[in-house]
């Protein structure tokens, strides 16, 4: 049975094809259009997924959309009525879009699919899952567990913002929900907005900024903004928020509570901003911990699955792991809306079609390497047409040349195999660096990524060496757990250094791998095993053999404001528009000094805030 899953029209549109329950391909539309968080109908992603599966639309039994627009429209209308006359301007802005497009989404999907070659019966094969059903299905049905508690947390779907389901075999039963406007995701996004970052993309900046601050505002948040119960259930005081009726997340009452208007993008960050970030991060972790503890006590289940945008908060995930209530935790790596395409397809296969499910101890995401790959002919054609100068090396020589560059302190663009699905680069479309170099974090942020200097980088480490270097000894292939660097790898901080505040802490080496050690000794860890990504494992092994260190900096192959690269052409453009010094595409190697200088582009003057 062939099923196409689609998420679209809000942010991070994506497509997925499953064949007889196996995820064959999945990709986000942004990777093809080069428009970050592209919300358009995922035409390119669908075409890629169908080609990867060797199918056309007439061979697809069901096309499944990841949410139900009529229920969203109901929520929109009820919210405006409840808050009237506030929000009239927002109502006037939203209604034409809904009446023109979103309310008649079935017809829109039918027409778009017909444009891709679907027959006239495609409408009869369209199914619609609920938003949090898609999230939950993406977490449980893709997990390695036969049974689990499934917790989904995000901004909002149709009405639901937090949901609990019990998964068993091919069944997934929803048992609890928290409804809009009460939302962990929207609470965190409100602070993202207040701190001057983009909602739906800048939340991870708040998480990265938090360790530079102190939790001075926790009491204010808990006493004024949030009524938090012992079991993790909560209600927000909506008099401080504007997202129900306005075009902003917060309002003047919120500003008065914290003493200032929202920070404007690109304005300097102050210690107060860092303290606010630390406070909302602590509160978010507390909510999630109370929820998961209560779920364990209520169900007695040993396995926990997570999805929804809040599940990308890897610091909170690390707290759940260290809390030790659940024996096993699995988090959908494409936990946000893009992953809804996977969940919608899996929900249709198992729930709607009642197909049997068999687990084999491994998850179904194939390391997230579900996107396009390129053969030698395609690589040579794209590079030649772009004017690139390149060499083709043997496997052994390629690894040696890459390690040479890394040890020399160079930034390396690493392009191998199938592109990752989801927000993380995991060794297929990555920028790599030497984590032992204390200047590398600042260099990569300011000269390669063109972004704020405080933002941390993640370590990729050989799975077999992880427990020696970090306080973590479980698989973390998707970079979704934060843990501390092992004590014997840390560098003692002087009294004078420990007295520093905020960004002044940034340049203090804190371990043997300072470029991936955050100011609180933490790191967002990717474990790399030989089976899932053999070439990346080989590179890490060679770097370890040369240096004694089994760790590399791994950050996404893109610069600020653009999606992760997809094709060799994208990679070469990013290479020539940044200060990446070596580009490795499969067995092809490109040295910056050998390129035509006329092909360089100046990204740094044209970038939008991300």
């Amino acid at each position: 049975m062939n099923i196409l899953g689609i998420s679209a029209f809000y942010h991070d549109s994506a497509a997925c094809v499953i064949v007889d329950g196996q995820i064959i391909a999945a990709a986000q539309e942004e990777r093809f259009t080069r428009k970050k968080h592209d919300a358009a109908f995922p035409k390119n992603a669908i075409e890629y997924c169908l080609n990867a599966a060797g199918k056309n639309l007439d061979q697809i039994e069901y096309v499944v959309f990841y949410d139900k627009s009529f229920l969203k429209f109901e929520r929109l209308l009820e919210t405006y009525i409840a808050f009237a006359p506030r929000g009239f301007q927002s109502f006037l802005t939203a209604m034409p879009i809904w009446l023109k497009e979103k309310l008649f989404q079935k017809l829109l999907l039918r027409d778009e699919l017909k444009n891709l070659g679907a027959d006239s019966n495609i409408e009869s094969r369209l199914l619609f899952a609920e938003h949090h059903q898609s999230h939950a299905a993406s977490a449980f049905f893709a997990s390695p567990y036969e049974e689990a508690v499934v917790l989904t947390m995000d901004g909002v779907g149709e009405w639901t913002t937090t949901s609990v389901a019990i998964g068993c075999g091919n069944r997934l039963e929803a048992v609890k929900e928290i409804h809009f406007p009460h939302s962990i995701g929207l609470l965190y996004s409100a602070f993202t907005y207040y701190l001057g970052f983009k909602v739906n993309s800048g939340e991870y900046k708040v998480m990265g900024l938090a360790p530079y601050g102190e939790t001075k505002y926790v009491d204010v948040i808990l006493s004024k903004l949030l009524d938090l119960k012992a079991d993790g259930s909560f209600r927000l005081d909506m008099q401080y928020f504007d997202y129900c009726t306005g075009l902003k997340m917060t309002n003047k009452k919120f500003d008065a509570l914290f003493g200032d208007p929202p920070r404007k993008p690109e304005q300097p960050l102050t210690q107060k901003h860092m303290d606010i970030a630390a406070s909302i991060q602590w509160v978010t972790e507390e909510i999630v911990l109370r929820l998961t503890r209560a779920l364990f006590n209520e169900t007695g289940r040993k396995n926990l699955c997570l999805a929804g945008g809040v599940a990308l908060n890897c610091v909170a995930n690390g707290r759940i792991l260290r809390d030790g209530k659940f024996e096993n935790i699995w988090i959908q790596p494409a936990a946000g809306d893009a992953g809804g395409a996977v969940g919608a397809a899996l929900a249709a296969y198992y729930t709607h079609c009642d197909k049997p499910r068999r687990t084999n101890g491994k998850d179904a995401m194939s390391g997230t390497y579900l996107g396009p790959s390129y053969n030698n002919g395609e690589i040579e054609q794209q590079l030649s047409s772009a004017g690139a100068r390149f060499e083709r090396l043997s496997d052994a020589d390629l690894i040696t040349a890459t390690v040479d560059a890394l040890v020399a302190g160079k930034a390396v663009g690493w392009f191998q195999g199938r592109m990752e699905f989801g927000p993380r680069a995991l060794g297929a479309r990555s920028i790599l660096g030497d984590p032992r170099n204390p200047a590398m974090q600042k260099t990569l942020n300011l000269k390669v990524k063109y972004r704020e200097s405080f933002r941390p980088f993640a370590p990729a480490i050989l799975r077999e060496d992880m427990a020696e270097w970090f306080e973590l000894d479980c698989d973390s292939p998707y970079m979704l757990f934060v843990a501390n660097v092992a004590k014997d790898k840390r560098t003692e901080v002087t009294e004078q250094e420990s007295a520093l505040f905020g960004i002044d802490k940034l340049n203090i080496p804190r371990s043997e791998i300072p470029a991936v050690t955050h100011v609180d000794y933490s790191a967002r860890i990717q474990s790399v095993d030989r089976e899932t990504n053999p070439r990346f494992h080989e590179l890490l092994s060679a770097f370890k053999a040369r240096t004694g260190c089994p760790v590399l900096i791994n950050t996404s192959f893109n610069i600020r404001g653009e999606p992760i690269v997809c094709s060799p052409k994208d990679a070469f453009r990013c290479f020539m528009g940044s200060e990446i010094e070596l580009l490795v595409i499969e067995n092809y190697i490109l040295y910056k000094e050998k390129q035509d200088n006329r092909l360089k582009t100046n990204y740094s003057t044209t970038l939008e805030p991300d």
Side-chain angles (χ1 to χ4, degrees):
M1 175 170 280
N2 310 312
I3 298 177
L4 169 65
I6 297 174
S7 64
F9 306 132
Y10 295 96
H11 56 87
D12 296 301
S13 293
C16 168
V17 166
I18 67 170
V19 175
D20 297 332
Q22 181 183 356
I23 302 168
I24 301 298
Q28 294 123 287
E29 184 69 3
E30 65 165 19
R31 306 294 173 85
F32 303 95
T33 63
R34 312 309 302 154
K35 179 182 177 184
K36 195 163 187 178
H37 303 300
D38 195 344
F41 179 77
K43 170 183 179 292
N44 299 283
I46 290 171
E47 289 179 332
Y48 155 69
C49 289
L50 291 172
N51 288 336
K55 308 293 179 184
N56 60 48
L57 279 170
D58 291 343
Q59 295 172 292
I60 298 293
E61 277 90 342
Y62 291 106
V63 178
V64 196
F65 195 67
Y66 82 128
D67 70 4
K68 296 185 176 180
S69 56
F70 272 102
L71 290 179
K72 281 195 171 182
F73 185 66
E74 174 189 88
R75 186 245 301 166
L76 190 73
L77 282 181
E78 287 195 23
T79 301
Y80 282 130
I81 290 168
F83 285 87
R86 287 173 56 200
F88 185 64
Q89 186 58 49
S90 175
F91 177 82
L92 290 178
T93 302
M95 277 305 104
I97 298 170
W98 273 92
L99 294 175
K100 182 182 177 183
E101 297 176 4
K102 297 183 179 180
L103 191 56
F104 301 101
Q105 216 154 75
K106 188 172 186 178
L107 301 180
L108 177 62
L109 288 168
R110 178 201 65 189
D111 293 343
E112 292 283 8
L113 290 165
K114 282 185 176 180
N115 289 338
L116 290 176
D119 60 33
S120 57
N121 294 322
I122 191 65
E123 192 173 347
S124 66
R125 292 182 275 139
L126 273 172
L127 299 175
F128 293 82
E130 289 194 23
H131 188 95
H132 274 254
Q133 180 189 18
S134 296
H135 277 321
S138 78
F140 177 63
F141 291 135
S143 80
Y145 312 138
E146 178 65 24
E147 54 81 27
V149 179
V150 186
L151 174 62
T152 67
M153 304 166 286
D154 67 359
V156 60
E158 293 87 1
W159 278 103
T160 306
T161 67
T162 303
S163 76
V164 176
I166 302 297
C168 188
N170 71 344
R171 312 313 298 167
L172 191 59
E173 180 188 1
V175 294
K176 286 184 180 181
E177 292 180 342
I178 296 173
H179 286 175
F180 182 86
H182 310 291
S183 165
I184 312 173
L186 290 175
L187 174 66
Y188 205 89
S189 291
F191 279 89
T192 301
Y193 166 83
Y194 183 75
L195 291 170
F197 304 125
K198 276 190 176 180
V199 172
N200 289 329
S201 68
E203 283 77 8
Y204 59 94
K205 294 187 188 182
V206 178
M207 185 176 65
L209 190 63
Y212 294 97
E214 299 179 4
T215 55
K216 293 180 177 179
Y217 296 93
V218 165
D219 289 345
V220 173
I221 296 171
L222 292 177
S223 64
K224 298 292 185 180
L225 302 183
L226 183 70
D227 178 15
L228 177 61
K229 304 301 185 186
D231 65 354
S233 60
F234 58 89
R235 292 183 65 84
L236 303 184
D237 187 338
M238 296 311 301
Q239 65 181 314
Y240 294 96
F241 302 94
D242 233 14
Y243 58 75
C244 284
T245 59
L247 302 175
K248 303 181 300 178
M249 294 298 296
T250 59
N251 56 30
K252 290 182 178 179
K253 191 158 186 176
F254 189 101
D255 300 349
L257 193 62
F258 292 97
D260 291 297
R263 171 181 168 265
K264 293 181 179 178
E266 309 296 303
Q267 275 187 340
L269 286 159
T270 67
Q271 185 61 50
K272 183 175 182 179
H273 294 130
M274 298 170 205
D275 293 341
I276 291 173
S279 301
I280 187 56
Q281 177 63 33
W282 188 95
V283 168
T284 300
E285 292 171 28
E286 183 65 18
I287 296 170
V288 172
L289 279 172
R290 290 191 189 188
L291 283 167
T292 53
R293 286 168 180 168
L295 290 177
F296 174 78
N297 291 335
E298 290 167 15
T299 68
R301 307 267 175 168
K302 67 177 184 178
N303 301 320
L304 173 68
C305 296
L306 298 172
V310 177
L312 293 172
N313 192 309
C314 49
V315 179
N317 297 341
R319 288 283 303 279
I320 300 169
L321 188 67
R322 290 192 299 279
D323 197 46
K325 294 292 187 291
F326 290 92
E327 288 183 26
N328 305 297
I329 301 172
W330 192 83
I331 304 161
Q332 166 55 244
D337 275 13
V342 172
L346 292 173
Y349 185 77
Y350 290 114
T351 304
H352 181 76
C353 300
D354 196 25
K355 296 293 184 181
R357 177 172 176 260
R358 298 177 183 87
T359 56
N360 61 4
K362 297 179 182 178
D363 71 57
M365 291 299 292
S366 302
T368 77
Y369 306 117
L370 297 166
S373 62
Y374 296 83
N375 62 37
N376 290 340
E378 291 168 325
I379 294 167
E380 289 192 15
Q381 187 277 323
Q382 290 196 23
L383 291 179
S384 296
S385 65
R389 296 167 182 169
F390 53 90
E391 306 168 39
R392 184 175 175 180
L393 302 182
S394 68
D395 290 353
D397 288 345
L398 185 85
I399 295 294
T400 299
T402 305
V403 172
D404 287 343
L406 291 164
V407 171
K410 294 181 179 180
V412 175
W414 181 255
F415 183 113
Q416 302 290 326
R418 295 183 72 178
M419 180 182 68
E420 302 92 339
F421 178 60
R424 310 289 188 222
L426 298 169
R429 303 291 187 273
S430 292
I431 298 171
L432 307 177
D434 185 347
R436 303 169 304 152
N437 185 338
M440 207 65 186
Q441 183 197 12
K442 184 175 277 190
T443 297
L444 286 177
N445 269 327
L446 299 180
K447 293 188 176 183
V448 175
K449 304 283 278 188
Y450 301 115
R451 65 186 197 182
E452 301 93 339
S453 63
F454 71 83
R455 286 163 65 175
F457 288 107
I461 181 169
L462 295 170
R463 174 65 181 92
E464 55 266 33
D465 292 320
M466 191 164 63
E468 181 185 343
W469 285 78
F470 299 99
E471 293 178 348
L472 181 69
D473 192 17
C474 67
D475 292 340
S476 182
Y478 301 127
M479 219 182 269
L480 285 168
F481 291 115
V482 162
N484 286 342
V485 173
K487 286 186 172 63
D488 64 345
K489 303 296 183 186
R490 298 181 194 176
T491 301
E492 191 173 342
V493 177
T494 67
E495 250 182 70
Q496 187 178 5
E497 289 170 335
S498 63
L500 296 173
F501 284 92
I503 292 296
D504 291 336
K505 299 176 180 179
L506 178 64
N507 297 321
I508 303 169
R510 294 175 181 273
S511 76
E512 294 179 27
I513 43 174
V516 293
T517 305
H518 212 7
V519 295
D520 56 357
Y521 293 105
S522 69
R524 177 166 52 101
I525 301 160
Q526 179 196 0
S527 59
V528 180
D529 66 72
R530 182 178 284 106
E531 184 178 354
T532 306
N533 193 330
R535 180 162 275 192
F536 196 30
H537 189 277
E538 184 183 4
L539 179 64
L540 281 159
S541 298
F543 186 77
K544 177 188 176 183
R546 181 85 63 90
T547 66
C549 176
V551 182
L552 286 173
I553 298 170
N554 179 13
T555 188
S556 56
F557 196 160
N558 64 313
I559 51 87
R560 188 185 77 177
E562 77 164 10
I564 295 172
V565 302
C566 177
S567 67
K569 177 178 63 177
D570 299 335
F572 182 70
R573 180 174 180 270
C574 188
F575 174 58
M576 295 304 292
S578 68
E579 295 189 40
I580 297 172
E581 293 151 291
L582 184 75
L583 175 58
V584 181
I585 301 181
E586 299 296 348
N587 280 70
Y588 297 88
I589 195 163
L590 296 83
Y591 294 91
K592 179 64 69 66
E593 64 269 20
K594 294 184 180 181
Q595 305 306 313
D596 184 344
N597 284 330
R598 291 172 296 179
L599 297 176
K600 286 186 178 180
T601 54
N602 189 355
Y603 269 131
S604 60
T605 59
T606 59
L607 300 175
E608 295 182 6
D610 58 350

